[in-house]
Amino acid sequence: MGAKRVLRVAAFDVLLPALFGGLATLGFAPFGYYGLTLLALIGLIALWWQASARRGAWRGFVFGLAHFGTGIYWTFVSTYYYGGAPLPMAIGLVAALSVYLALYPLLVGALAGATRGLPRTLWALVVVPFAWMLAELVRSWVMTGFPWLSLGYSLIDAPVTALAPIGGVYFLGLLMMASAGTVALLFAGSIPARALAVVLIALAPLGLWYTPPTTAWTRPSGEPVSVDIVQGNFAQAIKWDRDVFRTTLERYRSMTEASDADLVVWPEVAIPAPAHQISSYFDEIAALAAGRNQTVLAGTLVHESNNAPYYNAVLALGAGEGRYYKRHLVPFGEYFPVPEFVKTLLDGVNMRYSDFGFGAEDQALIEVDGVKLGLSICFEDAFGYEIAKALPQAGMLVNVTNDAWFAGTTAAAQHLEIARMRALEAGRPMLRAANTGISAIIDYDGRVREATPEFEIANIESQVQPRSGETPYMRIGDWPLWWASAAVTLLSLLGSVLLTRRRSKAGASR
């Protein structure tokens, strides 16, 4: 292999895919340069333009490795600094996760190469975008799902947000990839393909103009509710320290005493102890809140009996009643979906109560002043279908979380971005309480009305308007996207095989 060929292979098979993968990350929070993500996708499609299935797969893998490596590097912080994993194990776990996530762009690249013989307009505008959407949908489902960095999240502040209540985040990702394909056609397609690209680009603003606004799907319901979101700010390094426990109790008590809001929201596991061990404390908080017709949502752990598992829970204290147990647990974080003998190999990760129980699917909604709340805990807000379980009954959404596991990284901003998308898809305001931040009140259109700084003791007091109604996405969900993407992918592969056979027969008859 000559020097020029080596340089060409290095550039097109390693350097450029890695560059585009890293560039794509800049479209997500806290950066928000979604134009750079679009540019990266245009570059990726260009790399797939004439690539074989094997080369397309490799380029997709390198792209994914760079993208997810720069996007979810923060998992190292949780496993090494707070999880107690040895350095080699922590590095290995992050590397393994990045490699796993990179398999999805690899598969899309393989399909792009396998179907490159199809008409270019079909390939760029339909085949590749739908294959990418199918990959994101599968990624949101395998091993309970890890949908972080799905393309649509980067568009939370783009002019296309009115489409989210209609099709959801994966539909936005489909449109983004199709937009990249349109630009690629504009520069590399045939004359008719370029003309089509020009027409599509010209019609895009018109399509957005006629898209129903976010106000079209839901409407104000009842009177506003006064809320107080409490951010206790206990770093993960000290959160479970026995010497800090008394301070934790006093801080949440005093911040609650100082509030006259109808609803006070504490973060996930605000009190780092099983509820039955400090029942007198919760009784005090309940009596305090009940005397003021106030409801406190307290994040804690619940252990119902000796033979029962621990639950990551939110308890309603005071005027409100009920509790919520987390349904969608984080694999390898809150439970380990492996045989018992494998768990012995994970002793290096010192995580408290790491085998939680799964909450029931049909839990009753907690109600405050006649307004039902759609609760989620931490990672659950990464799944639109989890939020949909409370709708259309819920007038407001509440997410409690503890992003202190990833302190000093981009994770908190990315998680807030995800929460914004859920509020937008549902057409509901969301109250977000985070231990060390970012706590926020998010309007029904996905905009952040108020937010706290990270790593400070803070609270947000405001009036929040509940809403009723149901967006198309919350009514229908992702199933049309699953069927459409699977059908397009299978038909494109079948069409490619038939086209190859036809060409082979035509060549043999000459």
Side-chain angles (χ1 to χ4, degrees), residues 167-224:
V169 68
Y170 303 113
F171 179 65
L172 291 183
L174 167 74
L175 295 181
M176 194 175 197
M177 184 59 80
S179 298
T182 302
V183 177
L185 285 175
L186 187 64
F187 288 95
S190 62
I191 297 299
R194 292 181 181 184
L196 176 60
V198 170
V199 171
L200 291 175
I201 293 172
L203 291 177
L206 191 63
L208 292 175
W209 178 267
Y210 282 102
T211 299
T214 53
T215 55
W217 310 114
T218 62
R219 64 204 66 86
S221 176
E223 297 297 321

Side-chain angles (χ1 to χ4, degrees), residues 272-352:
H276 70 276
Q277 293 182 5
I278 52 170
S279 57
S280 61
Y281 173 79
F282 283 122
D283 289 341
E284 291 176 15
I285 298 297
L288 169 69
R292 301 187 292 188
N293 197 31
Q294 182 182 71
T295 299
V296 176
L297 297 182
T300 187
L301 301 174
V302 171
H303 187 47
E304 296 179 337
S305 65
N306 290 334
N307 295 325
Y310 283 89
Y311 292 97
N312 191 344
V314 173
L315 307 181
L317 308 175
E321 294 183 356
R323 55 183 56 192
Y324 173 76
Y325 291 168
K326 189 176 183 182
R327 294 178 295 225
H328 199 128
L329 303 182
V330 181
F332 302 102
E334 293 174 312
Y335 80 103
F336 291 87
V338 295
E340 287 298 324
F341 76 90
V342 177
K343 294 181 182 181
T344 60
L345 302 176
L346 301 172
D347 289 338
V349 183
N350 182 28
M351 303 182 77
R352 294 176 182 266

Side-chain angles (χ1 to χ4, degrees), residues 231-233 412 434-440 450-460:
Q231 180 173 301
N233 190 42
N435 172 28
T436 57
I438 306 168
S439 301
E450 297 182 61
T452 63
E454 284 190 87
F455 317 122
E456 292 184 13
I457 301 171
N459 70 305
I460 303 174

Side-chain angles (χ1 to χ4, degrees), residues 30 38 50 57 87 92 136 239 289 316 414 465-466 476 496 508:
L38 178 61
Q50 294 293 346
L87 182 61
E136 288 196 337
K239 182 177 174 67
Q414 291 175 358
Q465 176 63 62
I476 301 173
S496 182

